[in-house]
Amino acid sequence: MINSLPTAPGNISPPVVRETQVLIVGAGPTGLVLALWLTRQGTRIRIIDTAAEPGTTSRAIVVQARILEFYRQIGIADEVVERGLQLAAANLWVRGRKAGRAAFGEMGKGLSPFPYALIFPQDEHERLLIEHLSVGGIEVERRIELVSFEDAGDRVLARLKRPDGTEEMCEAAYLAGCDGAHSKVREVLKTGFPGGTYAHVFYVADVQATGPAMDGELHVALDDADLLVIFPLKGVGRARLIGTVRQDAEKRHEHLGWDAVNKRLIERMSIEVERVNWFSTYQVHHRVAAHFQGGRAFLLGDAAHIHSPVGGQGMNTGIGDAVNLAWKLATVLHRRADLALLDTYEPERIAFAQRLVATTDQGFKIVTSDGPVARFVRVHIVPRLLPALFQSNSFRRFMFRTISQTAVNYRGSSLSEGIAGRVRGGDRLPWIELDRTADRCADNFIPLASLDWQVHVYGEPRPGIPELCRRRELPSHVFPWQPMMSRAGLARDAVYLVRPDGYVALADPDASASRLEAYLDARRVRPKSPGRVLVQERQFDPSGAHGTSL
């Protein structure tokens, strides 16, 4: 009972106890997105952070297409895109000469409503997320420290320290550790964080500059022993530079300034830095926690995995963790699924994190290693191989799917069943553009804004499916068949049961009502609201065919 909780050492009166459903520790992008998704699903949360204010500088800068798709589900994607800068193309330079160029818009065309990467610095990103939380009546509690916590079986008891040094107890159904690489939550869970640290010291600098590379595109420059990445920022001549410091300065990297930067590649790229707005140095780590869950506590974002910045995946992966966990917590807390649903978070996300760290580790070694083999690959193989590969449309689309995280799947999950067409249980639902006007895009992702389980049928519903959906109050959506659906991998008239995060749970080519019901019963899945049927309007179908109602 609450009254039996121990007092904090030195306190005369018992600590105050506040109750919530989910206590979120850490208010970076991962924690903020988790808070937004939970509150949009009617879940009570507290979000705390030790920092007195949001960050004013950041290293994370790229928002990938899959994250924008998640943001569209909660209604903030348009604002994020408006505030950011669409990345049109990437350029590769070797020893000061351009070796290739890839246009992002062409790579992702037809694969996502956001066929590009977006430049949106983390500090601005956090402010936008905080604004949307505030609209919902949620404020980040600043200068609050998690001291310890205890899993009491049916709840978590967390001891928190306030700015004045006094302590309080917070009782929560679940605790989410979004508190970074030095996570207190991970420490209390005693979960290992195996991995290592790369030798070089890197810098990140927000600069005002001139030169050919200040053209609004991404530039990656390599030479025998150095790396320079140039990210465009909004505003004429603004850019984010990432590179290495001089070897003679690496041992004192915590006190370095712009004068310690290895400027060889900057000069080769004819970049004239007029002003350095802010500057920081850091070492790159590659680690994945041994476990992402311990009882009622979970690890997300940098608390669970950290890796090299190759491909701009770090922040995006943390946000993916948040979305994956959020709908599962909300579903269980509102008793719309079996408690075992929460046990799918770790296997789904840890498998992806491990693959990502292994992949980025290999790529990072190639672009940063001082070894003769890596240097040869960097300056001789890469400039010949990449331009040739980017001539292939299939390779460009593969690269977009990989970097954008639209290829992330949970095929090995216990939640994933079946295959219909080329779509397997665990795959992201393929995006289908049904109609487009100057100010509007109609597509099959529109229903995902409900953040609910739903059935999709592309073609005609088979007997038994309409009746089952009505009886189970399961939202269902029928899209008139079009040839492009087959090209996207969908099977005509098949049943696709879609999770609240837009991934296919069950893909059934036979559209069997009994198989769909068995899936729902096995996991005790119930929709969050009475079933609603989307009746396709004429404007959704370019051929003029009307949609049908289940």
Side-chain angles (χ1 to χ4, degrees), residues 169-482:
M169 297 298 294
C170 177
E171 179 181 305
Y174 297 98
L175 183 147
C178 308
D179 48 344
H182 302 288
S183 170
K184 181 67 176 182
V185 176
R186 192 182 64 244
E187 176 188 322
V188 174
L189 289 176
K190 295 182 171 59
T191 296
F193 204 31
T197 305
Y198 296 101
H200 290 299
V201 176
F202 294 83
Y203 73 86
V204 55
D206 187 341
V207 303
Q208 190 74 33
T210 59
M214 299 295 109
D215 58 357
E217 297 186 354
L218 171 68
H219 296 265
V220 178
L222 307 172
D223 69 6
D224 298 76
D226 204 2
L227 163 73
L228 173 66
V229 184
I230 306 164
F231 288 98
L233 298 176
K234 263 195 170 181
V236 178
R238 285 192 62 213
R240 178 73 51 83
L241 305 184
I242 297 176
T244 57
V245 303
R246 299 191 316 273
Q247 288 188 353
D248 63 290
E250 286 185 342
K251 292 183 179 180
R252 52 185 179 89
H253 72 90
E254 292 182 358
H255 307 288
L256 298 179
W258 179 248
D259 59 336
V261 166
N262 190 337
K263 298 185 176 66
R264 181 175 59 251
L265 274 176
I266 294 176
E267 293 167 355
R268 275 187 164 181
M269 295 290 291
S270 300
I271 297 172
E272 293 288 339
V273 176
E274 299 172 346
R275 184 176 67 254
V276 178
N277 298 317
W278 65 264
F279 177 88
S280 179
T281 59
Y282 64 101
Q283 284 190 283
V284 176
H285 304 265
H286 50 100
R287 301 179 184 277
V288 180
H291 295 284
F292 285 13
Q293 179 182 3
R296 289 178 169 264
F298 300 85
L299 297 175
L300 303 83
D302 287 355
H305 46 76
I306 51 176
H307 49 82
S308 83
V310 168
Q313 301 295 300
M315 178 183 68
N316 295 271
T317 303
I319 293 173
D321 295 341
V323 172
N324 186 289
L325 182 60
W327 74 265
K328 294 173 180 177
L329 283 173
T331 300
V332 168
L333 285 165
H334 295 294
R335 299 181 179 178
R336 298 194 301 268
D338 193 89
L339 187 64
L341 178 65
L342 295 177
D343 294 334
T344 66
Y345 167 72
E346 178 179 306
E348 287 189 354
R349 295 308 296 177
I350 200 170
F352 172 60
Q354 289 168 342
R355 289 195 304 271
L356 180 64
V357 168
T359 303
T360 57
D361 182 52
Q362 292 302 314
F364 202 62
K365 285 178 179 177
I366 290 174
V367 298
T368 63
S369 176
D370 295 329
V373 174
R375 285 201 302 271
F376 181 80
V377 171
R378 192 162 54 236
V379 301
H380 295 290
I381 302 300
V382 170
R384 288 178 172 85
L385 183 62
L386 274 187
L389 287 174
F390 274 106
Q391 294 299 312
S392 165
N393 185 57
S394 60
F395 179 78
R396 291 199 301 269
R397 293 172 77 82
F398 167 78
M399 286 300 296
F400 176 80
R401 290 179 187 274
T402 301
I403 295 173
S404 68
Q405 297 199 357
T406 56
V408 172
N409 70 76
Y410 305 128
R411 291 181 177 180
S413 172
S414 61
L415 293 179
S416 305
E417 287 187 14
I419 175 172
R422 298 193 306 276
V423 178
R424 296 176 179 270
D427 287 352
R428 161 187 168 270
L429 180 71
W431 177 68
I432 305 294
E433 183 178 2
L434 302 169
D435 192 20
R436 181 179 290 274
T437 61
D439 59 351
R440 172 173 193 275
C441 172
D443 58 35
N444 66 327
F445 276 21
I446 290 175
L448 301 182
S450 67
L451 307 183
D452 201 1
W453 291 87
Q454 55 194 264
V455 165
H456 283 213
V457 174
Y458 297 85
E460 296 290 334
R462 301 272 177 86
I465 294 298
E467 294 78 12
L468 173 62
C469 290
R470 290 194 186 100
R471 179 162 49 85
R472 300 295 292 253
E473 297 186 323
L474 181 63
S476 49
H477 308 271
V478 177
F479 301 87
W481 182 258
Q482 298 176 38

